[in-house]
Each structure stands twice: as C-alpha cells, then as structure tokens.
Amino acid sequence: MLETSARLLKLLSLLQAHRDWSGPELSARLGVSTRTIRNDVERLRSLGYPVHATPGVAGGYRLGAGAALPPLLLDDEEAVAVAVGLGRAAGGGVEGIEETSVRALAKLEQVLPSRLRRRVSALNAYTVQIPGNAPSVPPEVLTTIANAARDHEGLRFDYTGHEGDSSVRNVEPHRLVHRRGRWYLVGYDVDRDGWRTFRVDRVRLRTPSGPRFTPRELPGDGDLAAYVERGLNTAMWRYRATVLLHAPAERMRELPLGLEVEPVDEGTCLLKLGGDDVSGMAVWIGFIGVDFEVLDPPELAEHVLRLSERYRRAVSGR
C-alpha cells in the first residue's frame, strides 16, 4: 500500500509538471508497466483528479482542469519560491492580485513546515521592495501568454505602439520578461519576419489564437534578460544610431559596452546604441578606440564630421 501511494504521488507530480505524457514515458519514469499506469490513472480520477486520456499512437495523458482545485505537490524549494512570489505579488504589478496574493500567502504559510516558514519569513522581513508606478496587467492575460508559449501556439493581438498607433500582430510567443515593474513579451513577429519585444500592458488579445509553431532559436544568444534590456535602452532615446565598427564582434563583446553588437564579417561588426544628445554619442563612440563609420542617423554623422575638423584644427600647428 505504501509503495502504491508513493507511486501515485510521483505520478501526480509528473502530470502537474508537464502537459502531455505518453503511457510508455510514464511507465519508464515510474518503472512499472503501462497497465499499472492505467490503473493508477483510474485511482487518481477516483480521488477527484481530472486526468484526460487520448488513445492512439500519438495519445497520452494530461491533467485537466477540474471543478475544484486538487492538492498540489511542492518540494521544499518550490514551496519557498511560491511563498516568496506571493509576497512580491502582494506589492502590485498584476492587476487586482494584491489582496488575493495576501490571502493565498496566509493559507500557504499556515501549512508550511516550521523550517520553511522561517526561511520565507526571513526573506520577506529582510527584503525591501520599492513600489513602482508601472501599469498593471490582468493576470488572465499573463497566463494566456504563458500557456501559449508553453504549448507553442501563436497569438493574435492588437498592439498600441509608443506613439499611440495601433496594429494587429501575429506573434509566436516565446518568453515573458519582468523588468522594473513592467511585463514584456519576447516573440517572433510572423508578418514582420523578426524578433520583437512587446509591452504586455499594451496588448489586447484576439480570439481565435494563431496556429501552432516550431520553437525558434532565441535571440541574444539565449540571454533574453540582456536582450530586452538592450532593446529598451535603445528604444527610450531620442536618437537611435547604427555604427559600423572596424573590429571583430568577439573583440567588441569583451568590452563593457552593454549594447547590441552584430557581426558583419571577420573584421567588422554593427553597434546599435541610443542617446538624447548626438554630441555625447559622438564622443562616446570615439572612446571605443577603433575606426568606425556612422550609418545612421545623419545628425550623428554630421556631428562626428564637425568634431573631427575641430580635433584636426587643434593639432594643425604641430
């Protein structure tokens, strides 16, 4: 009986961690026959867990949504992560979730073992959260986007740009990124054939959603936090510049630029940056210490030319 109960708990944990499992996959994970898996699934159903089964070669098992929330299985680290996350959510960021987070946190702390309760209390007591004024996002929007990314399902939504213009986007969602109180969606814009970053508070989801897609290689060498940071650092400036550096991209990436560098060939690369003052941008580019060509904008190119003439006059008498 103890062995069967332990196996049921392990099966339930697997079903909660992954959306779809085939019978042979579960059989291999638990070290039992597929017939035993079928019997264990029936036991879970009798306990109120809505486990859906799809017959056939491509079929399998999936834990569905039930009329009531069944118990969740959390290990120590997961329980601490959920408790800390609820504490942060109580400070805002997701629309209407503050009071709900407090209630959920109170329930969770009530059943936490004392060793975990002390860890959570210490983290909450000695962590200072600075509230922001960023617009909140409805939780159902976040969960819809996260589920679409998990299941590789496209999204269709109306998007309001920085200038207030609206457009319809067809996007393959890949990740949600939280930065300074705002939520961002990193996805591949199918119509524009490129990666884009969208502020989620400016997204208005449409139904039906888009078709399923095959995941792509993530931009920014997979470091989406740095990718979003670079994009936002460039987008917020008055001027956006593209400069051709006469140096290999690998060499430039070793410098603490914190900006986007794209290789062109073995000896050159593109540097993208932004600023409110072209004079400061021109001086800063000179500090890199390599030859360069300003491709855009024209205002920066003109200022670099004037700056070069001023420097030439400064040494013309030597």
Side-chain angles (χ1 to χ4, degrees):
M1 179 63 68
L2 289 177
E3 181 180 352
T4 301
S5 299
R7 191 176 65 246
L8 284 177
L9 290 174
K10 180 63 176 178
L11 174 59
L12 180 58
S13 178
L14 291 174
L15 291 171
Q16 290 176 344
H18 191 58
R19 183 175 184 182
D20 294 293
W21 289 95
S22 68
E25 287 175 332
L26 293 174
S27 174
R29 284 295 192 100
L30 298 176
V32 295
S33 66
T34 55
R35 180 179 179 179
T36 300
I37 294 296
R38 290 194 297 270
N39 293 334
D40 287 347
V41 166
E42 289 300 324
R43 293 189 179 97
L44 290 178
R45 288 171 176 165
S46 66
L47 294 173
Y49 292 92
V51 182
H52 303 312
T54 304
V57 178
Y61 297 98
R62 173 187 300 182
L63 185 63
L69 179 66
L72 296 176
L73 297 178
L74 301 174
D75 59 29
D76 286 3
E77 299 304 321
E78 290 172 340
V80 171
V82 170
V84 173
L86 287 171
R88 299 295 173 267
V94 180
E95 184 178 305
I97 206 173
E98 295 89 346
E99 182 181 350
T100 307
S101 300
V102 172
R103 294 201 311 268
L105 180 59
K107 293 179 180 178
L108 182 58
E109 288 184 339
Q110 184 178 2
V111 297
L112 282 177
S114 59
R115 67 181 188 280
L116 299 184
R117 194 180 304 115
R118 287 195 296 268
R119 291 174 59 184
V120 173
S121 299
L123 279 169
N124 288 331
Y126 291 94
T127 302
V128 177
Q129 185 176 3
I130 300 177
N133 56 359
S136 58
V137 177
E140 60 269 17
V141 173
L142 291 174
T143 55
T144 299
I145 294 175
N147 289 336
R150 179 198 63 189
D151 301 334
H152 308 145
E153 294 177 352
L155 289 174
R156 296 175 65 250
F157 54 82
D158 297 288
Y159 188 70
T160 303
H162 181 70
E163 303 297 332
D165 54 311
S166 181
S167 59
V168 179
R169 302 299 185 98
N170 294 285
V171 173
E172 298 173 355
H174 282 73
R175 294 292 189 276
L176 282 168
V177 178
H178 189 257
R179 175 188 180 270
R180 300 179 187 177
R182 284 194 173 98
W183 288 95
Y184 296 90
L185 164 64
V186 178
Y188 192 86
D189 194 316
V190 178
D191 296 332
R192 291 159 178 79
D193 194 23
W195 289 95
R196 297 291 188 273
T197 301
F198 305 93
R199 272 180 49 175
V200 179
D201 59 285
R202 296 176 176 173
V203 168
R204 298 295 178 268
L205 295 173
R206 288 191 171 200
T207 53
S209 58
R212 293 181 66 88
F213 62 88
T214 301
R216 302 173 186 265
E217 184 177 353
L218 296 175
D221 297 327
D223 188 351
L224 290 186
Y227 172 80
V228 171
E229 189 74 21
R230 287 195 300 267
L232 296 178
N233 285 342
T234 301
M236 69 176 63
W237 302 115
R238 177 182 178 187
Y239 297 101
R240 303 178 191 178
T242 303
V243 180
L244 179 68
L245 301 178
H246 290 260
E250 291 74 13
R251 175 185 167 190
M252 293 296 97
R253 286 173 179 154
E254 295 175 356
L255 300 176
L257 301 178
L259 298 173
E260 184 177 356
V261 176
E262 299 178 359
V264 176
D265 52 38
E266 294 182 356
T268 60
C269 60
L270 288 178
L271 172 66
K272 297 183 178 180
L273 68 157
D276 290 329
D277 180 17
V278 292
S279 61
M281 294 171 66
V283 174
W284 187 87
I285 295 171
F287 287 156
I288 298 177
V290 299
D291 291 342
F292 63 90
E293 301 173 35
V294 177
L295 305 182
D296 195 62
E299 296 90 340
L300 178 59
E302 294 173 2
H303 191 84
V304 169
L305 179 60
R306 291 197 299 270
L307 190 61
S308 65
E309 293 173 349
R310 184 177 303 126
Y311 285 162
R312 180 180 55 81
R313 290 194 300 269
V315 297
S316 60
R318 296 180 61 86

